Amino acid sequence: MSSGLPEMYRVSHELPSHLREWDLPPGWSWGSEGLFTQNRHYQEIIDALGRSLSLVSAPDSAHYAWLEAEARHLAHRNHTAMPTTYHYWASFSQSRRGPGYLRRWIAGETIAARLNRMGPDDVPGVMRVMREIGSALSYLHDLGAVHGSMSPQTIWTTPMGRLWIIGWQWALPLSDIPAGLHPDFRLMPVPAEWTAGAWTPTAFTDQWQLAAVCFMMLTGEAPPCDEPPPIQLLRPDCPQAVAMVIDRGLQPDPAQRFASVAAMLRAVDRVVGSRTMVMLAGDEPGTVFTAESDEVRLRWALADDYEVLAALGSGSFGSVWRVRDLSLGREVALKLLHPHVARDERSIGRFRREARLAAQLAHPAIVPIFDWDSRGDVAWYTMELAESGSVADLIARSGPRPLTEIAPQVDFVLSGLAAAHSIGVIHRDLKPENVLIDRYRRWRLADFGIANVTGEEIAGASGTPAFAPPEQLLGEPQDAAADCFSIAAIVAFAMSGTPPFGDKDATTILGRQMRGDVDLSPYPPEIMNWLRRGLAAASSDRFQDAAAMQGAWRSAVQAVFERERQVPWWRRWFATDGAGVAWQGDSLYTT
């Protein structure tokens, strides 16, 4: 089910004409993609520290003053859902650069894209959007400003549940916007006040559009502006108290809506407490019950130390949450044991070992562990939040990735894995879900949950079948070559979109592995040879550790670039033990 709206963005993989003559500062480079939208272009750019930023520019030179006003206003905004301006490049005769401003690059997708990909959301997800985006709108309204173009396409979500608002070219005083320009009404839900074609943004129209976004998330359809149907007619599972908040926000007459977005949020807070709402089949619509969920247990255990923000995922061992560390004022990922696991002393020991192992592996390509704690039968640890999700999320969202994009990331991951192998630690559960992506698009290893120090518990059928080597599926001893197999499988998955031996049952996968039944023909010859060795059925035929695999990867990638003369026109960074290795021209150089 889709949102019914035309697409607001057009992806570009080539530098647009208005940026081609720019002269970037020393050490800076263009990123791999950009987005065209209404009167703006967002281009990924890599600064001298290797961070992904977004360069916001105006393709039309007549809009330069408008762009500067946008940058200036956004520079003074301070809210977690607003990407603040880092720097503004003005145009000078001495420099072939500007105008444009820099903000963080948002790696994720719009609410509309998520709706098109996954269908309508659940009630807790909609409530989170209402709270977080409503908080940003309330903050904006307190400053005397409005957004004016709120829609599922101007709200972006990262795989880690972070929400961002863009479309800031319209969130300005009308005097700063060129005469005759307004947001395209086809790209957003339109309140009754604008049905005559006039764009007159107010705090009330922002409220209506926020309620409309929630309506669309629950139903997959945009609400009509004149007589929107009660939300429970389309989503009977929506609790009546929640539906009443959305229905009131969608009233055609502004006087019948909430007095402000802040009042709307207060109504939400009265409805949705810290306990999870569930609808039981057969009960009257709107009946709200509470259940002892993971969230309830977690909120009780964390008390005033952390604020629970969003659920990120769940597996057989535990669940992962986005939380805010209130003492340090930072957002982190928290891994929580499932109740049935928390009562098992062996599982608790394994959980603690995971935290200790990951904490010992101090390497930039390995997600760090911050803290470990427990209270009652609730046990957890916190780790750095990988805001862009995992490689699995990336492929699900954007499809297979080209070699030019993943080459430095695979090298970076191999450098972290080499550090683990050098002290005798084997991961044993490498898969796309355990390769996380941070805000600067770096791939990083996480979840050493079944890792072992060489000589300890080296046998056992564990791991994920689609990415596990034959010896692991057979329950035989494993060494560093097992991790090398999994890395090769992840690379094949990232470049093709499917696991190399399929994703069926373990027996079928094992049979294909032992027969060498894998199609490597789509890959360049050098990469094909690298994959063939990495995916060999016999561990003795593979790379014996990550360091050897990394050296072979660099040679293979460089050979592809030299042979095909397709070195990317942007520069990507490698990192190994503090030294930087970058693509530059037709060769690698060390910084």
Side-chain angles (χ1 to χ4, degrees), residues 58-71:
D60 187 344
S61 60
H63 297 160
Y64 286 173
W66 181 18
L67 177 70
E68 182 178 358
E70 176 186 342

Side-chain angles (χ1 to χ4, degrees), residues 402-412 414 491 495 524-531 543 549-568 572 574 581-588:
L403 178 63
T404 49
E405 178 181 324
I406 73 167
Q409 307 303 339
V410 174
D411 182 272
F412 188 56
L414 284 170
V491 171
M495 295 184 69
E526 297 84 355
I527 303 301
M528 179 176 63
N529 292 335
W530 184 88
L531 287 171
F543 305 102
M549 195 176 202
Q550 182 184 33
W553 174 255
R554 289 183 174 180
S555 297
V557 171
Q558 185 60 26
V560 172
F561 289 164
E562 289 179 348
R563 178 174 53 80
E564 299 184 0
R565 297 296 179 185
Q566 290 183 349
V567 178
R572 285 300 202 181
F574 287 128
V581 182
W583 299 115
Q584 177 72 12
D586 292 339
S587 61
L588 289 171

Side-chain angles (χ1 to χ4, degrees), residues 313-386:
S314 181
S316 58
F317 197 55
S319 55
V320 183
W321 300 78
R322 181 167 68 94
V323 302
R324 180 177 290 111
D325 184 333
L326 298 178
S327 62
L328 297 177
R330 65 181 176 186
E331 291 186 9
V332 298
L334 183 146
K335 189 167 184 179
L336 169 73
L337 281 177
H338 287 323
H340 67 279
V341 178
R343 290 188 288 269
D344 185 336
E345 288 298 325
R346 294 182 60 187
S347 295
I348 288 288
R350 175 176 155 186
F351 192 70
R352 288 177 175 171
R353 186 182 67 174
E354 175 179 345
R356 286 199 306 269
L357 281 174
Q360 292 169 8
L361 297 171
H363 189 282
I366 297 175
V367 177
I369 297 295
F370 293 144
D371 190 24
W372 152 268
D373 205 351
S374 63
R375 186 169 298 160
D377 66 345
V378 182
W380 72 88
Y381 70 75
T382 59
M383 56 188 171
E384 184 175 304
L385 185 68

Side-chain angles (χ1 to χ4, degrees), residues 510-544:
L510 178 61
R512 292 190 60 183
Q513 291 175 347
M514 300 305 292
R515 295 191 305 269
D517 182 11
V518 58
D519 181 14
L520 301 178
S521 60
Y523 307 102
E526 297 84 355
I527 303 301
M528 179 176 63
N529 292 335
W530 184 88
L531 287 171
R532 181 177 291 113
R533 183 176 176 186
L535 296 172
S539 62
S540 59
D541 293 336
R542 297 182 214 132
F543 305 102
Q544 293 308 294

